[in-house]
């Protein structure tokens, strides 16, 4: 049961609506269902207690119309559903009893207070900026009913003289419902304006927050791009350092193995030459210095080439 009520109170509410539109559709559905429940209770009273079957039929007509409103909202006939809620119950419950004379003196009192309360309902259901025409029409309609319902009742009936005297007293009989009408209307207008002001401020704040969030997302993406570039640069530098380390290792290997051999032979021949004074021996020793010297020269050239490659990598990197 509660689940069905919740479903019908949300009939016609869609995600593309703003919060104010959703609230107005919800109120239309909720108020129509509430009035339908009231019609059921009053209709049962008309049948079981007062045996006023004409009144019960009228309650049934209002009941059907009220149950139709959520369906109309579901079909997106929003203005039509609100107009039905504001117009037809008053015609059925107020107009028909007056025309056919099916009312009792107590209705002199509650009819005008009911219409006075309904003067503010259009401001609750319609948007003041978009539907000012609807609001004006229904406000004037209920204000007119509040002002002249007693005259209509007197015209179509013959109430007791005491009731006539009461109705003729404007201060006691007419002024209170008029006060109710204007008080409820002005209060609702003030509420709508305040609510609209805070909603605009909230929308502005939400927009600023969304813009700030977009800026933060852009900055975050920028930082992620910088981090990716840094990672690539670190990886590139690491590879360069590893390459240079290999070159240094190669240089150390050349120095440790290739240079020592020819250098040791040259130093050995020089040492031997110090113990000989024979020109032929010295000549033979100097001739033997040629191959290791050439070999050493080639090795030195290889070392220079390796060092030049290292320096060239540094220049390219810069």
């Amino acid at each position: 049961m509660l689940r069905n009520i919740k479903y019908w109170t949300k009939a016609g509410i869609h995600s593309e609506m703003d919060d104010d539109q959703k609230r107005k559709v919800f109120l239309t559905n909720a108020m129509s269902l509430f009035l339908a429940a009231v019609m059921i209770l009053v209709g049962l009273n008309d049948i079981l207690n007062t045996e006023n079957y004409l009144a019960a039929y009228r309650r049934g007509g209002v009941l059907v119309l009220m149950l139709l409103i959520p369906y109309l909202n579901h079909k997106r006939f929003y203005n039509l559903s609100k107009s039905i809620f504001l117009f037809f119950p008053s015609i059925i419950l107020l107009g028909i009893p007056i025309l056919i004379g099916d009312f009792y003196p107590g209705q002199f009192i509650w009819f005008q207070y009911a219409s006075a309360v309904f003067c503010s309902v259009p401001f609750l259901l319609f948007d003041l900026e978009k539907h000012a025409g609807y609001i004006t029409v229904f406000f004037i309609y209920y204000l007119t009913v509040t002002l002249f319902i007693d005259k209509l009742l007197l015209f179509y009936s013959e109430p007791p003289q005491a009731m006539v005297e009461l109705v003729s007293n404007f201060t006691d009989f007419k002024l209170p419902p008029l006060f109710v009408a204007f008080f409820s209307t002005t209060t609702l207008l003030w509420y709508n304006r305040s609510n609209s002001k805070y909603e605009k401020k909230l929308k502005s704040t939400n927009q600023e927050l969304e813009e700030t969030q977009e800026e933060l997302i852009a900055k975050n993406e920028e930082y992620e791009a910088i981090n990716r570039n840094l990672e690539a640069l670190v990886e590139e530098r690491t590879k360069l350092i590893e390459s240079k380390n290999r070159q240094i290792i190669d240089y150390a290997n050349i120095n440790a193995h290739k240079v020592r051999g020819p250098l040791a032979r040259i130093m050995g021949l020089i040492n031997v030459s110090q113990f000989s004074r024979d020109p032929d021996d010295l000549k033979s020793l100097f001739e033997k210095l040629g191959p290791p010297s050439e070999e050493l020269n080639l090795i030195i050239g290889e070392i220079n080439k390796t060092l030049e490659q290292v320096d060239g990598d540094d220049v390219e990197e810069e």
Side-chain angles (χ1 to χ4, degrees):
M1 181 66 179
L2 293 176
R3 185 176 181 180
N4 292 332
I5 293 175
K6 184 177 181 181
Y7 172 79
W8 283 108
T9 53
K10 292 186 176 181
I13 296 177
H14 302 282
S15 58
E16 63 268 17
M17 291 178 169
D18 59 31
D19 292 338
D20 187 57
Q21 290 173 327
K22 292 179 180 178
R23 182 166 55 250
K24 293 182 185 303
V25 174
F26 174 82
L27 286 173
T28 306
N29 292 331
M31 293 174 70
S32 65
L33 293 177
F34 173 77
L35 188 55
V38 172
M39 291 300 101
I40 293 174
L41 296 177
V42 178
L44 291 175
N45 179 71
D46 292 334
I47 296 172
L48 300 177
N49 293 335
T50 63
E51 296 183 354
N52 188 342
Y53 297 104
L54 288 176
Y57 289 141
R58 293 196 295 273
R59 320 294 186 199
V62 175
L63 172 64
V64 172
L65 288 174
M66 294 303 99
L67 294 179
L68 181 64
I69 286 175
Y71 174 77
L72 292 175
N73 282 331
H74 177 71
K75 294 297 182 180
R76 304 195 182 192
F77 296 111
Y78 302 117
N79 292 337
L80 177 61
S81 65
K82 295 171 185 176
S83 300
I84 290 175
F85 176 79
L86 289 169
F87 183 70
F88 284 99
S90 63
I91 291 297
I92 296 173
L93 298 178
L94 301 181
I96 294 178
I98 291 174
L99 292 176
I100 66 177
D102 182 27
F103 58 87
Y104 53 91
Q107 290 174 315
F108 274 81
I109 304 299
W110 74 265
F111 269 21
Q112 59 182 356
Y113 278 99
S115 60
V117 170
F118 265 80
C119 284
S120 62
V121 175
F123 296 92
L124 190 64
L125 300 184
F126 287 101
D127 189 296
L128 185 59
E129 296 179 356
K130 297 179 181 179
H131 305 117
Y134 285 97
I135 293 174
T136 302
V137 168
F138 285 113
F139 174 76
I140 294 175
Y141 168 71
Y142 277 105
L143 185 61
T144 303
V145 172
T146 303
L147 287 170
F148 299 107
I149 184 65
D150 55 327
K151 304 297 182 183
L152 290 173
L153 291 172
L154 290 174
F155 181 80
Y156 283 98
S157 65
E158 296 180 359
Q161 184 61 33
M163 183 63 66
V164 175
E165 294 176 357
L166 175 63
V167 171
S168 63
N169 189 334
F170 180 84
T171 302
D172 293 338
F173 185 74
K174 187 60 63 179
L175 192 60
L178 287 176
F179 173 78
V180 171
F182 283 103
F183 176 78
S184 60
T185 301
T186 53
T187 301
L188 196 57
L189 277 173
W190 173 84
Y191 169 79
N192 285 338
R193 290 185 180 276
S194 300
N195 190 51
S196 176
K197 178 182 176 181
Y198 286 118
E199 282 188 353
K200 289 179 180 179
K201 186 176 181 180
L202 182 60
K203 287 180 180 178
S204 177
T205 303
N206 288 336
Q207 186 176 359
E208 291 177 359
L209 290 175
E210 289 177 358
E211 292 175 355
T212 303
Q213 185 178 9
E214 291 176 356
E215 291 179 1
L216 291 174
I217 292 174
K219 289 292 184 183
N220 186 48
E221 292 176 352
E222 182 180 349
Y223 292 147
E224 288 180 354
I226 292 174
N227 288 333
R228 288 193 295 269
N229 292 334
L230 287 175
E231 290 175 359
L233 183 60
V234 169
E235 185 177 357
E236 183 179 352
R237 291 286 186 178
T238 302
K239 291 180 180 179
L240 180 61
I241 292 172
E242 290 176 352
S243 176
K244 290 181 177 181
N245 286 337
R246 286 194 299 269
Q247 292 171 351
I248 293 172
I249 292 171
D250 292 339
Y251 170 75
N253 289 332
I254 292 172
N255 184 54
H257 300 288
K258 293 184 179 182
V259 174
R260 288 182 178 274
L263 182 59
R265 291 196 296 274
I266 292 172
M267 292 177 65
L269 291 173
I270 292 173
N271 289 333
V272 172
S273 66
Q274 293 177 358
F275 297 101
S276 177
R277 297 290 183 267
D278 187 359
D280 293 333
D281 291 340
L282 292 174
K283 182 180 179 180
S284 176
L285 289 173
F286 282 113
E287 288 177 354
K288 291 179 179 179
L289 286 173
S293 298
E294 292 178 0
E295 184 181 355
L296 184 60
N297 183 53
L298 292 173
I299 293 171
I300 291 173
E302 186 179 349
I303 292 173
N304 289 334
K305 185 177 180 181
T306 302
L307 293 176
E308 288 175 358
Q309 184 177 357
V310 174
D311 292 337
D313 291 339
D314 289 338
V315 173
E316 291 177 0
E317 185 63 25
E318 292 174 359

